[in-house]
PDB file of all heavy atoms in Angstrom:
ATOM      1  N   LYS A  67       0.538   2.232  -0.776  1.00 86.00           N
ATOM      2  CA  LYS A  67       1.286   3.435  -0.872  1.00 86.00           C
ATOM      3  C   LYS A  67       1.107   4.352   0.365  1.00 86.00           C
ATOM      4  O   LYS A  67       0.069   4.272   0.963  1.00 86.00           O
ATOM      5  CB  LYS A  67       0.906   4.268  -2.117  1.00 86.00           C
ATOM      6  CG  LYS A  67       1.284   3.573  -3.427  1.00 86.00           C
ATOM      7  CD  LYS A  67       0.857   4.441  -4.646  1.00 86.00           C
ATOM      8  CE  LYS A  67       1.192   3.714  -5.966  1.00 86.00           C
ATOM      9  NZ  LYS A  67       0.705   4.537  -7.098  1.00 86.00           N
ATOM     10  N   ASP A  68       2.139   5.142   0.624  1.00 87.00           N
ATOM     11  CA  ASP A  68       2.107   6.010   1.843  1.00 87.00           C
ATOM     12  C   ASP A  68       0.838   6.915   1.771  1.00 87.00           C
ATOM     13  O   ASP A  68       0.171   7.063   2.847  1.00 87.00           O
ATOM     14  CB  ASP A  68       3.295   6.907   1.917  1.00 87.00           C
ATOM     15  CG  ASP A  68       4.575   6.040   2.354  1.00 87.00           C
ATOM     16  OD1 ASP A  68       4.359   4.913   2.721  1.00 87.00           O
ATOM     17  OD2 ASP A  68       5.641   6.559   2.295  1.00 87.00           O
ATOM     18  N   ILE A  71      -2.096   4.948   2.935  1.00 95.00           N
ATOM     19  CA  ILE A  71      -2.044   4.655   4.342  1.00 95.00           C
ATOM     20  C   ILE A  71      -2.486   5.923   5.146  1.00 95.00           C
ATOM     21  O   ILE A  71      -3.266   5.890   6.055  1.00 95.00           O
ATOM     22  CB  ILE A  71      -0.584   4.291   4.752  1.00 95.00           C
ATOM     23  CG1 ILE A  71      -0.280   2.909   4.185  1.00 95.00           C
ATOM     24  CG2 ILE A  71      -0.572   4.210   6.301  1.00 95.00           C
ATOM     25  CD1 ILE A  71       1.094   2.436   4.394  1.00 95.00           C
ATOM     26  N   VAL A  80     -10.339  11.692  12.282  1.00 98.00           N
ATOM     27  CA  VAL A  80     -11.628  12.381  12.306  1.00 98.00           C
ATOM     28  C   VAL A  80     -12.538  11.626  13.293  1.00 98.00           C
ATOM     29  O   VAL A  80     -13.291  12.213  14.063  1.00 98.00           O
ATOM     30  CB  VAL A  80     -12.302  12.419  10.920  1.00 98.00           C
ATOM     31  CG1 VAL A  80     -13.736  12.886  10.983  1.00 98.00           C
ATOM     32  CG2 VAL A  80     -11.503  13.379  10.061  1.00 98.00           C
ATOM     33  N   LYS A  84     -14.322  13.090  16.698  1.00 98.00           N
ATOM     34  CA  LYS A  84     -15.742  12.984  17.032  1.00 98.00           C
ATOM     35  C   LYS A  84     -15.912  12.442  18.390  1.00 98.00           C
ATOM     36  O   LYS A  84     -16.776  12.921  19.179  1.00 98.00           O
ATOM     37  CB  LYS A  84     -16.426  12.083  16.022  1.00 98.00           C
ATOM     38  CG  LYS A  84     -16.528  12.724  14.586  1.00 98.00           C
ATOM     39  CD  LYS A  84     -17.221  11.754  13.602  1.00 98.00           C
ATOM     40  CE  LYS A  84     -18.637  11.440  13.968  1.00 98.00           C
ATOM     41  NZ  LYS A  84     -19.234  10.568  12.942  1.00 98.00           N
ATOM     42  N   LEU A  91     -13.606  14.833  25.974  1.00 98.00           N
ATOM     43  CA  LEU A  91     -12.271  14.492  26.343  1.00 98.00           C
ATOM     44  C   LEU A  91     -11.358  15.733  26.272  1.00 98.00           C
ATOM     45  O   LEU A  91     -11.624  16.649  25.538  1.00 98.00           O
ATOM     46  CB  LEU A  91     -11.761  13.391  25.466  1.00 98.00           C
ATOM     47  CG  LEU A  91     -12.607  12.060  25.540  1.00 98.00           C
ATOM     48  CD1 LEU A  91     -11.964  11.014  24.554  1.00 98.00           C
ATOM     49  CD2 LEU A  91     -12.693  11.512  26.904  1.00 98.00           C
ATOM     50  N   ARG A 111       0.179  17.294   9.464  1.00 97.00           N
ATOM     51  CA  ARG A 111      -0.424  16.065   9.008  1.00 97.00           C
ATOM     52  C   ARG A 111      -1.531  15.661   9.912  1.00 97.00           C
ATOM     53  O   ARG A 111      -2.628  15.261   9.517  1.00 97.00           O
ATOM     54  CB  ARG A 111       0.604  14.853   8.892  1.00 97.00           C
ATOM     55  CG  ARG A 111       1.659  15.091   7.906  1.00 97.00           C
ATOM     56  CD  ARG A 111       1.177  15.388   6.469  1.00 97.00           C
ATOM     57  NE  ARG A 111       2.288  15.482   5.508  1.00 97.00           N
ATOM     58  CZ  ARG A 111       3.098  16.469   5.358  1.00 97.00           C
ATOM     59  NH1 ARG A 111       3.053  17.487   6.189  1.00 97.00           N
ATOM     60  NH2 ARG A 111       4.045  16.428   4.424  1.00 97.00           N
ATOM     61  N   LEU A 116      -8.898  18.003  10.457  1.00 98.00           N
ATOM     62  CA  LEU A 116      -9.630  18.124  11.692  1.00 98.00           C
ATOM     63  C   LEU A 116     -10.282  19.504  11.798  1.00 98.00           C
ATOM     64  O   LEU A 116      -9.861  20.455  11.190  1.00 98.00           O
ATOM     65  CB  LEU A 116      -8.703  17.891  12.917  1.00 98.00           C
ATOM     66  CG  LEU A 116      -8.069  16.497  12.974  1.00 98.00           C
ATOM     67  CD1 LEU A 116      -7.218  16.351  14.228  1.00 98.00           C
ATOM     68  CD2 LEU A 116      -9.184  15.391  12.907  1.00 98.00           C
ATOM     69  N   SER A 130       7.926  36.652  27.833  1.00 90.00           N
ATOM     70  CA  SER A 130       8.164  38.083  28.039  1.00 90.00           C
ATOM     71  C   SER A 130       8.861  38.291  29.350  1.00 90.00           C
ATOM     72  O   SER A 130       8.943  37.386  30.223  1.00 90.00           O
ATOM     73  CB  SER A 130       6.783  38.893  28.036  1.00 90.00           C
ATOM     74  OG  SER A 130       6.046  38.429  29.199  1.00 90.00           O
ATOM     75  N   GLN A 140       2.964  28.563  34.439  1.00 97.00           N
ATOM     76  CA  GLN A 140       1.755  29.432  34.375  1.00 97.00           C
ATOM     77  C   GLN A 140       1.286  29.748  32.949  1.00 97.00           C
ATOM     78  O   GLN A 140       0.153  29.702  32.574  1.00 97.00           O
ATOM     79  CB  GLN A 140       1.984  30.656  35.122  1.00 97.00           C
ATOM     80  CG  GLN A 140       0.708  31.537  35.362  1.00 97.00           C
ATOM     81  CD  GLN A 140       0.933  32.569  36.430  1.00 97.00           C
ATOM     82  OE1 GLN A 140       1.588  32.343  37.418  1.00 97.00           O
ATOM     83  NE2 GLN A 140       0.236  33.734  36.316  1.00 97.00           N
ATOM     84  N   ASN A 156       3.739  22.258  20.083  1.00 98.00           N
ATOM     85  CA  ASN A 156       4.912  22.175  19.358  1.00 98.00           C
ATOM     86  C   ASN A 156       6.030  22.800  20.189  1.00 98.00           C
ATOM     87  O   ASN A 156       6.247  24.022  20.242  1.00 98.00           O
ATOM     88  CB  ASN A 156       4.727  22.978  18.021  1.00 98.00           C
ATOM     89  CG  ASN A 156       5.984  22.903  17.102  1.00 98.00           C
ATOM     90  OD1 ASN A 156       7.082  22.507  17.619  1.00 98.00           O
ATOM     91  ND2 ASN A 156       5.817  23.254  15.900  1.00 98.00           N
ATOM     92  N   TRP A 159       6.518  22.844  28.058  1.00 98.00           N
ATOM     93  CA  TRP A 159       7.324  23.218  29.255  1.00 98.00           C
ATOM     94  C   TRP A 159       8.609  22.491  29.233  1.00 98.00           C
ATOM     95  O   TRP A 159       9.508  22.790  30.091  1.00 98.00           O
ATOM     96  CB  TRP A 159       6.480  22.903  30.525  1.00 98.00           C
ATOM     97  CG  TRP A 159       5.722  21.609  30.483  1.00 98.00           C
ATOM     98  CD1 TRP A 159       6.188  20.375  30.784  1.00 98.00           C
ATOM     99  CD2 TRP A 159       4.323  21.491  30.239  1.00 98.00           C
ATOM    100  NE1 TRP A 159       5.224  19.448  30.680  1.00 98.00           N
ATOM    101  CE2 TRP A 159       4.025  20.080  30.390  1.00 98.00           C
ATOM    102  CE3 TRP A 159       3.308  22.387  29.940  1.00 98.00           C
ATOM    103  CZ2 TRP A 159       2.703  19.567  30.118  1.00 98.00           C
ATOM    104  CZ3 TRP A 159       2.036  21.850  29.705  1.00 98.00           C
ATOM    105  CH2 TRP A 159       1.758  20.478  29.825  1.00 98.00           C
ATOM    106  N   ASN A 161      10.904  22.813  27.270  1.00 97.00           N
ATOM    107  CA  ASN A 161      12.031  23.673  26.859  1.00 97.00           C
ATOM    108  C   ASN A 161      13.017  23.862  27.978  1.00 97.00           C
ATOM    109  O   ASN A 161      14.166  24.027  27.666  1.00 97.00           O
ATOM    110  CB  ASN A 161      11.384  25.027  26.542  1.00 97.00           C
ATOM    111  CG  ASN A 161      10.907  25.148  25.097  1.00 97.00           C
ATOM    112  OD1 ASN A 161      11.333  24.456  24.227  1.00 97.00           O
ATOM    113  ND2 ASN A 161       9.949  26.028  24.858  1.00 97.00           N
ATOM    114  N   ARG A 162      12.543  23.854  29.186  1.00 98.00           N
ATOM    115  CA  ARG A 162      13.464  24.043  30.328  1.00 98.00           C
ATOM    116  C   ARG A 162      14.484  22.995  30.404  1.00 98.00           C
ATOM    117  O   ARG A 162      15.641  23.194  30.777  1.00 98.00           O
ATOM    118  CB  ARG A 162      12.657  24.159  31.596  1.00 98.00           C
ATOM    119  CG  ARG A 162      13.558  24.224  32.929  1.00 98.00           C
ATOM    120  CD  ARG A 162      13.133  25.396  33.796  1.00 98.00           C
ATOM    121  NE  ARG A 162      13.201  26.694  33.179  1.00 98.00           N
ATOM    122  CZ  ARG A 162      12.821  27.789  33.811  1.00 98.00           C
ATOM    123  NH1 ARG A 162      12.256  27.746  34.994  1.00 98.00           N
ATOM    124  NH2 ARG A 162      12.930  28.969  33.223  1.00 98.00           N
ATOM    125  N   LYS A 170      21.754  27.922  28.493  1.00 94.00           N
ATOM    126  CA  LYS A 170      21.896  28.592  29.732  1.00 94.00           C
ATOM    127  C   LYS A 170      20.836  29.847  29.808  1.00 94.00           C
ATOM    128  O   LYS A 170      21.214  30.885  30.390  1.00 94.00           O
ATOM    129  CB  LYS A 170      23.343  29.173  29.908  1.00 94.00           C
ATOM    130  CG  LYS A 170      24.345  28.082  29.918  1.00 94.00           C
ATOM    131  CD  LYS A 170      25.758  28.518  30.281  1.00 94.00           C
ATOM    132  CE  LYS A 170      26.774  27.432  30.096  1.00 94.00           C
ATOM    133  NZ  LYS A 170      26.534  26.236  30.822  1.00 94.00           N
ATOM    134  N   PHE A 181      12.417  19.475  37.455  1.00 98.00           N
ATOM    135  CA  PHE A 181      12.207  18.040  37.521  1.00 98.00           C
ATOM    136  C   PHE A 181      11.342  17.720  38.749  1.00 98.00           C
ATOM    137  O   PHE A 181      10.673  16.710  38.805  1.00 98.00           O
ATOM    138  CB  PHE A 181      13.558  17.328  37.587  1.00 98.00           C
ATOM    139  CG  PHE A 181      14.277  17.315  36.198  1.00 98.00           C
ATOM    140  CD1 PHE A 181      15.390  18.068  35.999  1.00 98.00           C
ATOM    141  CD2 PHE A 181      13.686  16.570  35.115  1.00 98.00           C
ATOM    142  CE1 PHE A 181      15.976  18.060  34.811  1.00 98.00           C
ATOM    143  CE2 PHE A 181      14.268  16.641  33.942  1.00 98.00           C
ATOM    144  CZ  PHE A 181      15.505  17.343  33.717  1.00 98.00           C
ATOM    145  N   LEU A 191      -2.675  17.079  36.204  1.00 98.00           N
ATOM    146  CA  LEU A 191      -3.419  17.143  34.917  1.00 98.00           C
ATOM    147  C   LEU A 191      -4.141  15.846  34.643  1.00 98.00           C
ATOM    148  O   LEU A 191      -5.302  15.890  34.299  1.00 98.00           O
ATOM    149  CB  LEU A 191      -2.448  17.550  33.771  1.00 98.00           C
ATOM    150  CG  LEU A 191      -1.795  18.933  33.877  1.00 98.00           C
ATOM    151  CD1 LEU A 191      -0.959  19.155  32.636  1.00 98.00           C
ATOM    152  CD2 LEU A 191      -2.915  20.001  33.921  1.00 98.00           C
ATOM    153  N   ALA A 194      -6.992  15.337  36.755  1.00 98.00           N
ATOM    154  CA  ALA A 194      -8.090  16.230  36.437  1.00 98.00           C
ATOM    155  C   ALA A 194      -8.782  15.879  35.093  1.00 98.00           C
ATOM    156  O   ALA A 194      -9.663  16.507  34.624  1.00 98.00           O
ATOM    157  CB  ALA A 194      -7.567  17.671  36.290  1.00 98.00           C
ATOM    158  N   ASP A 204      13.537  12.212  17.139  1.00 98.00           N
ATOM    159  CA  ASP A 204      15.013  12.097  17.151  1.00 98.00           C
ATOM    160  C   ASP A 204      15.512  11.942  15.710  1.00 98.00           C
ATOM    161  O   ASP A 204      15.056  11.099  15.025  1.00 98.00           O
ATOM    162  CB  ASP A 204      15.456  10.960  18.010  1.00 98.00           C
ATOM    163  CG  ASP A 204      16.904  11.014  18.295  1.00 98.00           C
ATOM    164  OD1 ASP A 204      17.382  12.086  18.786  1.00 98.00           O
ATOM    165  OD2 ASP A 204      17.647   9.973  18.130  1.00 98.00           O
ATOM    166  N   GLU A 209      21.264  14.191   9.101  1.00 96.00           N
ATOM    167  CA  GLU A 209      19.956  14.604   8.628  1.00 96.00           C
ATOM    168  C   GLU A 209      19.609  16.007   9.047  1.00 96.00           C
ATOM    169  O   GLU A 209      18.977  16.811   8.327  1.00 96.00           O
ATOM    170  CB  GLU A 209      18.891  13.587   9.131  1.00 96.00           C
ATOM    171  CG  GLU A 209      17.481  13.878   8.636  1.00 96.00           C
ATOM    172  CD  GLU A 209      17.240  13.840   7.153  1.00 96.00           C
ATOM    173  OE1 GLU A 209      18.086  13.179   6.433  1.00 96.00           O
ATOM    174  OE2 GLU A 209      16.298  14.456   6.662  1.00 96.00           O
ATOM    175  N   GLN A 224      12.263  30.116   4.965  1.00 79.00           N
ATOM    176  CA  GLN A 224      13.095  31.164   5.597  1.00 79.00           C
ATOM    177  C   GLN A 224      12.658  31.472   6.966  1.00 79.00           C
ATOM    178  O   GLN A 224      13.478  31.802   7.875  1.00 79.00           O
ATOM    179  CB  GLN A 224      13.101  32.453   4.756  1.00 79.00           C
ATOM    180  CG  GLN A 224      13.783  32.252   3.393  1.00 79.00           C
ATOM    181  CD  GLN A 224      15.283  31.912   3.421  1.00 79.00           C
ATOM    182  OE1 GLN A 224      16.065  32.671   3.928  1.00 79.00           O
ATOM    183  NE2 GLN A 224      15.546  30.725   2.952  1.00 79.00           N
ATOM    184  N   ASP A 265      14.255  10.343  10.942  1.00 97.00           N
ATOM    185  CA  ASP A 265      15.102  10.693   9.752  1.00 97.00           C
ATOM    186  C   ASP A 265      14.227  10.691   8.466  1.00 97.00           C
ATOM    187  O   ASP A 265      14.576  11.436   7.558  1.00 97.00           O
ATOM    188  CB  ASP A 265      16.252   9.748   9.646  1.00 97.00           C
ATOM    189  CG  ASP A 265      17.508  10.292  10.352  1.00 97.00           C
ATOM    190  OD1 ASP A 265      17.401  11.369  11.004  1.00 97.00           O
ATOM    191  OD2 ASP A 265      18.594   9.741  10.097  1.00 97.00           O
ATOM    192  N   PHE A 298       9.086   2.670  14.092  1.00 96.00           N
ATOM    193  CA  PHE A 298       9.866   3.844  14.396  1.00 96.00           C
ATOM    194  C   PHE A 298       9.465   4.561  15.662  1.00 96.00           C
ATOM    195  O   PHE A 298       9.971   5.625  15.970  1.00 96.00           O
ATOM    196  CB  PHE A 298       9.799   4.775  13.155  1.00 96.00           C
ATOM    197  CG  PHE A 298      10.375   4.204  11.899  1.00 96.00           C
ATOM    198  CD1 PHE A 298       9.663   3.432  11.038  1.00 96.00           C
ATOM    199  CD2 PHE A 298      11.757   4.455  11.651  1.00 96.00           C
ATOM    200  CE1 PHE A 298      10.245   2.904   9.933  1.00 96.00           C
ATOM    201  CE2 PHE A 298      12.299   3.871  10.500  1.00 96.00           C
ATOM    202  CZ  PHE A 298      11.558   3.162   9.606  1.00 96.00           C
TER     203      PHE A 298
END
Side-chain angles (χ1 to χ4, degrees):
K67 295 181 180 179
D68 286 351
I71 295 174
V80 171
K84 289 177 67 177
L91 302 179
R111 297 307 184 283
L116 300 182
S130 66
Q140 188 165 329
N156 185 343
W159 43 81
N161 274 336
R162 175 132 297 176
K170 302 187 186 306
F181 288 110
L191 294 182
D204 193 50
E209 181 64 21
Q224 296 295 299
D265 264 10
F298 294 89

